[in-house]
Amino acid sequence: GDSVTQMEGPVTLSEEAFLTINCTYTATGYPSLFWYVQYPGEGLQLLLKATKADDKGSNKGFEATYRKETTSFHLEKGSVQVSDSAVYFCALSNNAGNMLTFGGGTRLMVKP
Amino acid sequence: DAGVTQSPTHLIKTRGQQVTLRCSPKSGHDTVSWYQQALGQGPQFIFQYYEEEERQRGNFPDRFSGHQFPNYSSELNVNALLLGDSALYLCASSLGQLNTEAFFGQGTRLTVV
């Protein structure tokens, strides 16, 4: 079945540092890929998405590129802020519907 | 524009009891999906409702059931609660079954004691 693997956290960075959170997937067909963010005590918010190979999703300074050859969708940001502290989830949706398969999440902590 | 709303926000139940959680989708959305998020883990898909019918189901036992009403709102019912059912239950809505843009509510935190 479909699965998503993320790097384990927590990831602790200083403000303005470069962020990479690795995500790889296993899926049949051609899934859409997503990054969701969850702030403390809240539900999930869609951060960015990509629907086909080589697409780059971007939002709020975050970006991720759909790499079919390496089955990866790594999240990057050039300069993190304290307000980026949250849990980040990589997810996929196959073409049979919009059921989402999530990774285990990566907690990001940004220190001033 | 109201987003996805869930009620209640928190709930404590005793093992063996039954619970009903409620979800109102984002305005204009007709598809509702439910997810279970155990502490420290990613959400797991429970099922999806569209046109008042269950369309997809994840790997959850029959103790988990649901319903969708004509106004697209939805309920999640869990019978014979187990301690392991303690989790954050998330509702997500979208427009159409194949639309990949899902919007999530803030969730219901269920604690089974």
Side-chain angles (χ1 to χ4, degrees), chain B residues 89-110:
Chain B
Y89 288 85
L90 295 166
C91 171
S93 74
S94 58
L95 177 59
Q97 255 192 299
L98 300 182
N99 190 329
T100 55
E101 185 94 33
F103 292 77
F104 283 80
Q106 292 194 330
T108 294
R109 172 71 64 186
L110 172 65

Side-chain angles (χ1 to χ4, degrees), chain A residues 38 46 49 89 98-100, chain B residues 35 37 48 94 99 101:
Chain A
Q38 187 173 37
L46 178 64
K49 70 175 183 180
F89 292 95
N98 58 7
M99 179 187 86
L100 290 163
Chain B
Y35 292 81
Q37 186 180 14
Q48 179 188 84
S94 58
N99 190 329
E101 185 94 33

Side-chain angles (χ1 to χ4, degrees), chain B residues 4-11 19-24 34 74-76 89 91 105-109:
Chain B
V4 180
T5 58
Q6 294 186 241
S7 62
T9 54
H10 296 83
L11 201 53
V19 68
T20 298
L21 310 181
R22 295 176 176 82
C23 171
S24 292
W34 288 91
S74 177
E75 290 182 348
L76 164 65
Y89 288 85
C91 171
Q106 292 194 330
T108 294
R109 172 71 64 186

Side-chain angles (χ1 to χ4, degrees), chain A residues 28-51:
Chain A
T28 56
Y30 302 93
S32 295
L33 302 174
F34 306 83
W35 277 99
Y36 280 85
V37 58
Q38 187 173 37
Y39 297 100
E42 298 187 12
L44 300 175
Q45 298 177 25
L46 178 64
L47 183 58
L48 53 85
K49 70 175 183 180
T51 57

Side-chain angles (χ1 to χ4, degrees), chain B residues 2 18 22 24 27 32 35-36 39 41 58 61 74 77 82 113:
Chain B
Q18 179 265 344
R22 295 176 176 82
S24 292
S27 178
V32 173
Y35 292 81
Q36 180 195 65
L39 197 62
Q41 298 183 21
S74 177
N77 301 291
L82 304 174
V113 297

Side-chain angles (χ1 to χ4, degrees), chain B residues 5-106:
Chain B
T5 58
Q6 294 186 241
S7 62
T9 54
H10 296 83
L11 201 53
I12 300 176
K13 288 288 189 178
T14 303
R15 190 173 46 183
Q17 286 188 315
Q18 179 265 344
V19 68
T20 298
L21 310 181
R22 295 176 176 82
C23 171
S24 292
K26 180 178 170 64
S27 178
H29 284 185
D30 57 6
T31 303
V32 173
S33 301
W34 288 91
Y35 292 81
Q36 180 195 65
Q37 186 180 14
L39 197 62
Q41 298 183 21
Q44 299 286 319
F45 176 78
I46 303 175
F47 43 53
Q48 179 188 84
Y49 277 84
Y50 173 70
E51 293 186 336
E52 302 181 48
E53 291 188 12
E54 183 182 293
R55 299 292 178 166
Q56 295 188 78
R57 190 179 182 90
N59 188 25
F60 279 81
D62 292 345
R63 297 187 298 108
F64 290 77
S65 63
H67 188 77
Q68 185 178 35
F69 299 92
N71 67 352
Y72 308 122
S73 66
S74 177
E75 290 182 348
L76 164 65
N77 301 291
V78 187
N79 294 322
L81 284 167
L82 304 174
L83 297 180
D85 294 331
S86 295
L88 180 68
Y89 288 85
L90 295 166
C91 171
S93 74
S94 58
L95 177 59
Q97 255 192 299
L98 300 182
N99 190 329
T100 55
E101 185 94 33
F103 292 77
F104 283 80
Q106 292 194 330

